[in-house]
Amino acid sequence: MNSRKEEILHTLEMRKQGMTAVQIAELLNIDRTNASRYLNELAKEQRIIKNSGRPVIYEPLSEEQVHVDSSSAVTFDALVGEKGSLKVAIQQAKAAILYPPRGLHTIIFGDTGTGKSLFAECMYQFALKSQTLKKNAPFVSFNCADYAQNPQLLFGHIFGIRKGAYTGANEDSPGLIAKADNGILFLDEIHRLPPEGQEMLFTFIDKGVYRPLGESNKTYEASVQIIGATTESSENFLTTFNRRIPMSITLPSIKARSLDERYEIITLFIKQEANRLKQKIEVEQDAIIAFMLYQAEGNIGQIKRDLKLVCAKAFLHYRTKQQDSLLVCKEDLSLPVQKGLLMRKDYSEDLKQFLEGKGNLLSFEPGATEVVWSQDPERNMQVYNAIEEKVTTLSDQELTNVDLEQLILGDVDAYFETYVEELTQSSLHKELLPKGIWQLTSELYEVAEERLERKYNEKARFAFALHLQSTIERLKDGHTIIHPDLNNIRKNFKQEFQVALDLSTIIEERCHIEIPFDEIGFISMFLSIQVGQNTPLPEKNIEVIVLMHGRQTATSMLETAQELLDTKTGVAFDMSLDMEVQTIYNKLLHYVQQNASKLTGGILLLTDMGSLNSFGNLIYEETGVRTKAVSMTSTMVVLEALRMVDMGRTLEDIYQNTLLSFKAIVKDEFNLHKQKQKKAVVVTCFTGEGVASKLYDRIVPVVDKTQTEVIQMQFIEKNAFLQHIDALMTEYDIKAIAGTVEIDYQNIPFFSAYEIFDNERLRVLKQIVNDDIPMDKIGQSLQEALTSVSGVEQLMVQLQQLLHHVEGQMHAVLEPSVDAGIIIHLAFLIDNLRKGETSRKFDNLAAFQKKYRLECDLVRTSLMPIAKNYQVDFSDDEIAYIVQMIQQNKITSTYPLTQKD
């Protein structure tokens, strides 16, 4: 909850007559721009009324609704556990309502989220049903914590305010006691009442009279039954409350409830969401089990929020994938919920009665009679409406071939762990920007430097200027972008966000546009990074952890691989069959936590089966150490993983190559049977459409659109972006990535934003994307020239695959024409060797081999199948020539990442 926004709302409610943004700003001593922003947010949320005209007047809503719609009211009969864990509490509550002449004042004890507010409303409904209260009797609910820091306002809200009680009190205002006359007043968190409020409440409880704030002579009477609620224990609660409130009721925590009740609670909430969405919801059995067993510290309230979140994710997936129903998967659950599966073994017998015979998916159809709590904060459809808005916004950008779910959700837990760099001198491309934009950017960054006490170089300014130009154009067209994690930005980058607020005011005044909060989040991102610093990146340390069932299975497999490779890389965890899953998880977690500083590159977790496969995500969520998990591991997979770690490859590369190794074991011909994919170029920036749209406009004219898709993507956090690239690679052959954030991944060529505006570099990209090497045609043309080789076309295809493999291992990107030249060279070399011709001698061979030992070994190993099939022997000299050709023809950025200013 935003305390400043709530303060503005309460001020309007107290004033009644309406106020302007200027009046609010002066009264509360805040910036006018901020006041206007908060008022507009309240108006959008339909919590206040915004009147047209000049000046704009903001007014509170009309008299608050104090009656409950009985047609959708919840009663004791509808509560889960009414004949179980809540039986005694319900009996006490009914006795308190029926006690003559006007019932007993009641205090409800219970931890956060146990349902105290809901229980109080059930008491009210029972009072109506039993005719203890009249049909139109009011039920007024109030949370004392809302005003705990302002005793005067709290006192006035409950007991009323007399005109002139304080500056600004221009008329009498009735309090909650008056509104609840002849009904029930529910005071949540009653222990937060200040001493003066407690004293007046005790007077009212004892005598039935009260005195409004500012009233010195007259007292007023009211007939109100007080129901209080507190998270304090009955032992610690004030004895004065205990003495004056005779009925105390304690609600059980979720831990005290049976599995039967917990299952009923979960399925009830899912049915409610199905009704609200008017759509069938299917839930994986593992997800149901996780919700039944996880430790919900916030009790029922937390379970409901967690279920709401996972249903929202399912709804997003449903909208973006056009599925027939909403599907809740285990992977969609938050880390604390997923941990519930670690307790599965302890409750295996108890779980059978709920899930046996129901299959892997449990279906919840809409249409069941829904009993609704009128005060339920999760009752509204705001989250689903927000998803609809986001999906619609992104659809307008015609990103039909992009996984919208990843764009919106994105893993943004590590928002600024990425190191953003621009790849050239900005002065080369200032002419691309309107003069006014560059001047405004310079002015904004001068303010930022002074306020944040840091320096930004021209590269950082140029990157922001490109973004600013696109932002202004976009907002003038009436199109906004939703920031996927604005709250975390505001929380984690408070200084930058405050400065961004001030900068947005300058932009608004200069460009005559209104900057939304989401855009301020993006400005904060630019202020929180420093581009172009020649700072060495931290060494990436990657650990391979082999984790398997059996007393020595993992240890034996790892030792075998270490001995073969002569390395000490890797750690083994053995899980004996009598060991609890939670125990081995805790051991692994402790190891990662103890060595987190040495695991900057991440963890590759190699497992065999079962619950161990879920540890990867759990470890990442709990420690922040990026973890990839591969199941059904064999000795060959461990060998490949250790080999690539020792070569210094990234976690993503190791993970992808390990998966390919596994697929090769299962099916040697896997790569040969892959269906031909459509080519793609990915363009990216922070918003996905600012700088990216300009890059899109530069690239589209130089590629064949019938063969190549240019995909715009949003870059928020590196790991999330790479996961999205992985997903795209299942559908596309990604030829290149272009953008403002450097991406070194899967040997995909990267072009900076500056390079795309360089005609020579754009030509290189065009060649990479458009120039396919027709190996079959080249093979046909060489049939007569290669007299000692049979099956020339097949040889050419094999050589092409071999060269691509070598380039990938060496992180080398070659132009297609160079690729073709090396392949033809290899073909003629094989033909000459079969004829017995002498190989050339390589100058300074020993020195070259020492410098490129790994590369030479890689090429020789890769050529072994060719040598065997064609009965030739490649000399060290020829191997060196091949390595030299690859090294000398690598495509490198014209503008290195660490270039100094």
Side-chain angles (χ1 to χ4, degrees), residues 102 203-210 220-223:
R102 292 177 299 188
T203 300
F204 175 74
I205 290 174
D206 293 340
K207 301 178 181 179
V209 298
Y210 66 96
Y220 296 82
E221 294 184 356
S223 176

Side-chain angles (χ1 to χ4, degrees), residues 64-104:
E64 63 181 329
Q65 180 70 31
V66 294
H67 294 287
V68 178
D69 179 5
S70 60
S71 64
S72 63
V74 65
T75 64
F76 286 131
D77 295 336
L79 294 182
V80 174
E82 53 104 8
K83 293 182 180 179
S85 62
L86 296 180
K87 184 176 180 179
V88 174
I90 291 173
Q91 289 175 348
Q92 290 177 298
K94 290 181 176 179
I97 293 295
L98 296 173
Y99 194 87
R102 292 177 299 188
L104 294 175

Side-chain angles (χ1 to χ4, degrees), residues 573-705:
F573 282 83
D574 297 299
M575 180 183 174
S576 59
L577 297 181
D578 58 351
M579 184 181 291
E580 298 289 340
V581 174
Q582 185 70 51
T583 302
I584 190 66
Y585 174 75
N586 289 338
K587 287 180 65 176
L588 176 62
L589 177 63
H590 177 73
Y591 174 82
V592 175
Q593 290 173 334
Q594 290 292 107
N595 296 277
S597 61
K598 303 176 184 177
L599 303 175
T600 54
I603 297 170
L604 183 67
L605 187 62
L606 304 178
T607 69
D608 51 0
M609 59 182 178
S611 303
L612 306 185
N613 298 343
S614 63
F615 283 7
N617 185 55
L618 294 175
I619 290 293
Y620 172 57
E621 294 288 346
E622 194 144 2
T623 66
V625 176
R626 181 153 171 76
T627 305
K628 291 283 191 178
V630 177
S631 60
M632 300 180 67
T633 298
S634 66
T635 303
M636 286 297 295
V637 170
V638 178
L639 274 168
E640 178 68 7
L642 297 185
R643 185 183 69 82
M644 297 193 69
V645 168
D646 288 343
M647 287 177 62
R649 302 290 288 275
T650 65
L651 177 62
E652 288 78 12
D653 278 350
I654 298 170
Y655 174 67
Q656 292 296 331
N657 279 277
T658 304
L659 289 180
L660 287 176
S661 297
F662 173 73
K663 291 173 181 175
I665 295 169
V666 178
K667 188 174 185 179
D668 291 337
E669 299 297 318
F670 174 78
N671 284 321
L672 294 178
H673 291 275
K674 281 182 69 174
Q675 185 177 0
K676 185 171 181 179
Q677 297 173 310
K678 187 174 183 179
K679 293 181 289 187
V681 176
V682 174
V683 292
T684 179
C685 67
F686 280 138
T687 65
E689 62 172 63
V691 179
S693 65
K694 296 183 179 299
L695 302 181
Y696 179 94
D697 292 340
R698 284 279 292 176
I699 294 172
V700 165
V702 302
V703 300
D704 182 354
K705 288 185 287 186

Side-chain angles (χ1 to χ4, degrees), residues 27 215 300 313 372 419 424 454 486 501 514 535 616 635 677 699 711 724 738 773 793 826 830 880:
L27 181 64
E215 179 64 70
I300 298 175
K313 288 183 179 180
V372 178
Y419 186 79
T424 188
R454 66 183 69 154
L486 183 61
L501 278 170
E514 183 175 344
T535 304
T635 303
Q677 297 173 310
I699 294 172
I711 301 173
H724 189 54
I773 306 174
E793 293 179 36
L826 288 170
I830 293 169

Side-chain angles (χ1 to χ4, degrees), residues 5-15 146-147:
K5 187 163 71 172
E6 296 304 314
E7 184 180 5
I8 291 174
L9 175 61
H10 295 150
T11 301
L12 281 176
E13 290 176 342
M14 300 302 291
R15 287 301 183 98
D146 290 346
Y147 292 86

